[in-house]
Amino acid sequence: MNRFLPAAALAASVLMAESAVAQQCYTFHNRCFSFAPPPEEVPKVETGVSLRAESLKFTGDIRFRNRMADSPSDKPYADADQSTTRARLQLEFTVNEYATAFLEYNFSEVWAGAEPYSDAQPFQNDPDGILSRQNFNGISQAYMQLDDAFGFEESIRVGRSEYFLANGLILGSCDYLQYPATFTGVWLARSFGDFDAEVFAFDNYGPLQAQLAGGGERFVGTTVRWNVEEGGGLEKVDGYYMMGTAEGEFTGRSNDSWVGVEASGLLPADIKWEAQFAHRTVDGGKDVSAYRAVLEHTFEEPIGGILHNVSFTRTGSQGALHVNPADFNSAGLLHQYGGAWRSNLDTNQLSFGFTPVSEIECTASFLTLDRGTGVTQQGDFEFNLLAGKMIRDGLHVGLGYGIDNDKRQVGFAQATLYF
């Protein structure tokens, strides 16, 4: 299966994400890695349409992605070849200066003949003989946003929405997924000087294509951010708390709780740092803690006109902290252990961002992976190569290639059209 993969992927690796360096791992509140720039970073065409609302803006994207994988017969891996398509259309209504409404329609499908892997599964019968919902065709987001509508400088969001708790390693809507997770609830936020505070309550039904068995679950919690000093040694500190409410049909995490803190700042020599710690209290089980630390430097003038960024990331987790995480590629493109906080796993990740040819952004990463005792180790070292380019306005092409010391390999090719 795909014996040509190494040569093909390496030959193609001179093409991938315009923001590949930033997305190689996580910065706070960004989208899950998806082999393309986040939609908000791509210029959109303004329609100029005005209806009963004050204004209406149409945006969207269509993407095609192919996955290729291979491994030796004695080294287990998800050797699945797939082609998938996703299209999204967003409608944003600006009602007035206090209120907006947002709708997103999502159409996703797995092409015939695809093999099963992660988010993209072939369309087939389940054990009860009912066709499984592996394609999604419907409303993925629908919410209203109210800003100072009641005169208290508050911000309120109500409805189904993407949402990230902290860095997304615990909870988020993964843009890599063919069918991401969204959450239905209410979020109330307000700023108090240098502090931003939020309280929330939402239902989680799982990713759109794989609803939780038996129904949804409900969580409540709060987040607080301290905006210390822009450009200072300590710039921001984030804290959060989330707990299950035992409401809903799915009660697997109904009495668990999560608490965490994150901080970021700027060290001498323009070295950006981030540090994160989280703890999950498990009802009737063993509690779990995890951490992540990042050092990153961007050169004012690229070295040799090519190397423009270098970063080091260290992660450690005692087990699974996630609910619905946005963590693809947080522990390598092979994604053998899920994300960095999904299992008893430690990683070291050294990444280099470079531009070998004009406007082609590349990232090379070297990872060590150390699984905890009592758990099967699959690969100790991994190499990832990402490349991408905006071919024309609105058209982005990206590729990725990963291989470990046991010669497990995966390759991705993606084209995304933004409008």
Side-chain angles (χ1 to χ4, degrees):
M1 183 187 304
N2 293 309
R3 301 299 175 184
F4 63 88
L5 180 57
L10 287 172
S13 65
V14 290
L15 299 168
M16 189 157 156
E18 184 177 53
S19 54
V21 175
Q23 295 196 46
Q24 173 64 19
C25 205
Y26 276 87
T27 55
F28 299 137
H29 306 292
N30 82 335
R31 289 177 184 269
C32 181
F33 181 85
S34 65
F35 300 98
E40 59 267 22
E41 293 184 6
V42 179
K44 301 295 197 324
V45 176
E46 297 293 338
T47 63
V49 176
S50 296
L51 301 177
R52 290 181 60 189
E54 186 173 290
S55 66
L56 169 61
K57 181 168 64 175
F58 292 87
T59 57
D61 58 81
I62 299 174
R63 80 181 186 197
F64 163 80
R65 182 164 64 226
N66 191 49
R67 180 186 188 270
M68 305 159 286
D70 184 35
S71 68
S73 58
D74 61 338
K75 305 297 182 183
Y77 184 55
D79 294 344
D81 296 344
Q82 308 166 336
S83 295
T84 60
T85 303
R86 185 194 70 182
R88 299 185 299 184
L89 175 64
Q90 297 99 20
L91 293 85
E92 183 175 350
F93 300 82
T94 302
V95 181
N96 52 45
E97 61 181 309
Y98 305 109
T100 59
F102 184 86
L103 298 174
E104 180 181 76
Y105 181 84
N106 183 310
F107 169 78
S108 302
E109 66 178 350
V110 180
W111 289 29
E115 298 170 288
Y117 169 73
S118 184
D119 60 296
Q121 303 287 332
F123 200 66
Q124 59 189 1
N125 291 333
D126 65 18
D128 297 324
I130 302 172
L131 285 176
S132 55
R133 294 177 21 174
Q134 302 303 338
N135 295 328
F136 180 78
N137 185 359
I139 299 296
S140 56
Q141 294 192 76
Y143 62 82
M144 62 177 175
Q145 178 80 32
L146 307 176
D147 296 303
D148 198 29
F150 299 98
F152 297 105
E153 300 181 4
E154 80 290 344
S155 176
I156 303 174
R157 178 173 293 192
V158 181
R160 178 190 283 191
S161 173
E162 289 185 341
Y163 180 63
F164 286 77
L165 182 65
N167 59 10
L169 294 177
I170 295 174
L171 180 86
S173 189
C174 187
D175 198 44
Y176 163 78
L177 289 177
Q178 183 72 355
Y179 321 98
T182 56
F183 310 93
T184 299
V186 57
W187 293 263
L188 171 61
R190 192 184 189 283
S191 295
F192 302 89
D194 294 331
F195 293 88
D196 302 324
E198 174 192 64
V199 293
F200 59 80
F202 63 83
D203 289 348
N204 171 43
Y205 291 97
L208 295 175
Q209 95 292 4
Q211 303 289 284
L212 293 175
E217 57 187 342
R218 183 167 298 166
F219 296 95
V220 297
T222 184
T223 66
V224 178
R225 165 173 287 186
W226 178 25
N227 300 291
V228 184
E229 180 185 2
E230 188 68 29
L234 178 63
E235 293 184 324
K236 297 177 182 178
V237 179
D238 293 86
Y240 55 89
Y241 176 77
M242 183 177 75
M243 61 177 287
T245 65
E247 297 290 335
E249 296 82 4
F250 180 77
T251 58
R253 297 175 288 241
S254 61
N255 292 311
D256 291 1
S257 62
W258 291 257
V259 63
V261 63
E262 306 181 347
S264 62
L266 193 64
L267 298 174
D270 291 328
I271 298 175
K272 181 180 179 181
W273 68 272
E274 298 177 4
Q276 306 162 2
F277 174 82
H279 181 80
R280 176 181 180 180
T281 301
V282 180
D283 181 49
K286 184 180 179 180
D287 294 354
V288 180
S289 295
Y291 68 89
R292 178 176 176 272
V294 183
L295 295 175
E296 181 180 84
H297 177 69
T298 300
F299 302 103
E300 290 187 10
E301 295 292 334
I303 296 178
I306 296 176
L307 180 65
H308 53 74
N309 176 279
V310 61
S311 67
F312 175 77
T313 301
R314 167 74 181 179
T315 72
S317 179
Q318 298 172 343
L321 272 84
H322 66 285
V323 177
N324 279 332
D327 62 352
F328 178 76
N329 196 34
S330 62
L333 282 177
L334 288 172
H335 205 57
Q336 295 191 77
Y337 309 112
W341 287 6
R342 284 206 202 185
S343 61
N344 191 338
L345 178 71
D346 294 339
T347 76
N348 295 291
Q349 307 177 29
L350 180 63
S351 298
F352 300 91
F354 59 100
T355 308
V357 182
S358 178
E359 298 182 355
I360 297 178
E361 298 291 336
C362 299
T363 301
S365 298
F366 302 86
L367 298 86
T368 67
L369 305 160
D370 183 14
R371 198 75 177 264
T373 57
V375 185
T376 302
Q377 179 78 27
Q378 291 180 281
D380 302 286
F381 306 98
E382 183 174 333
F383 170 72
N384 294 165
L385 187 59
L386 310 170
K389 177 178 173 59
M390 191 67 70
I391 303 297
R392 294 283 189 269
D393 289 346
L395 176 61
H396 182 273
V397 174
L399 294 104
Y401 173 69
I403 185 171
D404 73 358
N405 56 295
D406 291 326
K407 297 183 179 179
R408 300 179 182 89
Q409 302 171 81
V410 67
F412 295 90
Q414 178 172 302
T416 307
L417 178 65
Y418 301 88
F419 58 89

